[in-house]
Amino acid sequence: MLWRGRRQSDNIEDERSDSGGGFGGGLGGSPGQFRIPIGGRAGGGSSIILVILVVLAGWYFGFDPSQILGDGSGGLVPGGGQITDSSGSQDSTGAPASDEMKQFVATVLAETEDTWTGIFKASGLTYEDPKLVLFSGQIRSACGFASSAAGPFYCPGDHKVYLDMTFFQQLDQQFGASGEFARAYVIAHEVGHHVQNLTGIMQKFNQTRQSMGEAEANQMSVRIELQADCFAGVWAHYTAQKGILEQGDIESALNAAKQIGDDTLQKKMQGYVVPESFNHGTSAQRQTWLARGYKSGKLSDCDTFNNPV
Ligand SMILES: [Zn+2]
């Protein structure tokens, strides 16, 4: 990805130097600050609204404000421990390359801001930029306390993406998903959850999930995750149109989607698969939905709730 020299987002909150493990600044805004732009805008007939209307159908349950959308594989890492460089030459912040990596993350975030602002605007809506919190080891968010072992996550309660950039090393070395655009896909997927939050899809997801049994809730989780993959693909579609993708970028993202599929991860981590426990989607599903969003660039093609997945 030709990212150098492009705009970097100023919505990065760097909590890595916080020796207290992120207790100081992680809370940020008040958990009560939900702003859902679509709430007051009924008109438009936009694809976003269509997606929401479709998603709304059949959902009527309670609300779980503590929902965290974690996207790592922390639960599958033996011991749940931090993955460290085998040579021991890198510290937990990813130094010395962390500064450049931070610039990369800030640039990808800026690209998502531009893309989603445009998509929302085309539908008569206003996109609210999310914050992206860089942390090291552990962090407290409006969704509670989290360890980096659980991977990157989005917290609907404070509209922030949380990322320990050492996950990128894990992605590369442990999961076999290398390449800049694999990392960009991870960020774009989390931003996809933010889009779900802004459009009300996530609230309905949380309401529905609360009243479900575990297996059924996992199936619903798969649908929300695949949609975030599809939204990441939509972002990649517009990014490609800017002419800043390089050969191999999309393949890199698709490979990442494959490597972090539930079946592939479970086989790798425990040697067998438990389909009922899948909550992000199989490798094939994740690749399919990422590719689908990338191919068309249309949100209407990302309705994972009313289509077979
Ligand atoms: Zn996710």
Side-chain angles (χ1 to χ4, degrees), residues 115-176:
T115 296
W116 286 110
T117 295
I119 292 174
F120 272 55
K121 198 174 177 184
S123 299
L125 302 171
T126 303
Y127 181 69
E128 175 203 324
D129 294 343
K131 300 288 185 188
L132 190 151
V133 181
L134 295 175
F135 71 101
S136 176
Q138 54 195 15
I139 190 77
R140 187 183 294 278
S141 75
C143 294
F145 182 79
S147 158
S148 61
F153 67 95
Y154 174 73
C155 175
D158 57 22
H159 292 205
K160 295 181 183 183
V161 172
Y162 291 84
L163 172 67
D164 183 332
M165 290 192 294
T166 57
F167 179 76
F168 291 152
Q169 293 165 19
Q170 189 180 0
L171 200 60
D172 187 349
Q173 297 167 11
Q174 188 184 359
F175 299 151

Side-chain angles (χ1 to χ4, degrees), residues 194-263:
H194 178 64
V195 171
Q196 291 172 324
N197 196 15
L198 293 182
T199 52
I201 294 169
M202 184 170 294
Q203 288 78 358
K204 289 299 163 188
F205 161 71
N206 284 335
Q207 289 169 14
T208 308
R209 177 167 139 148
Q210 198 175 39
S211 65
M212 288 178 163
E214 191 177 343
E216 202 181 3
N218 283 341
Q219 288 174 16
M220 189 60 71
S221 175
V222 165
R223 291 178 187 274
I224 202 105
E225 295 297 337
L226 293 177
Q227 187 176 63
D229 281 340
C230 191
F231 285 174
V234 167
W235 170 75
H237 173 91
Y238 286 100
T239 305
Q241 286 189 342
K242 294 174 184 170
I244 59 173
L245 293 198
E246 297 176 283
Q247 193 159 16
D249 275 348
I250 288 302
E251 290 76 9
S252 174
L254 286 169
N255 177 56
K258 176 184 176 186
Q259 299 302 339
I260 60 177
D262 287 325
D263 51 342

Side-chain angles (χ1 to χ4, degrees), residues 62-76:
F63 180 60
D64 174 18
S66 66
Q67 172 64 29
I68 296 181
L69 287 143
D71 286 300
S73 59
L76 290 167

Side-chain angles (χ1 to χ4, degrees), residues 70-71 189-190 193 225 228 280:
D71 286 300
H189 171 98
E190 299 304 337
H193 285 314
E225 295 297 337
H280 280 70

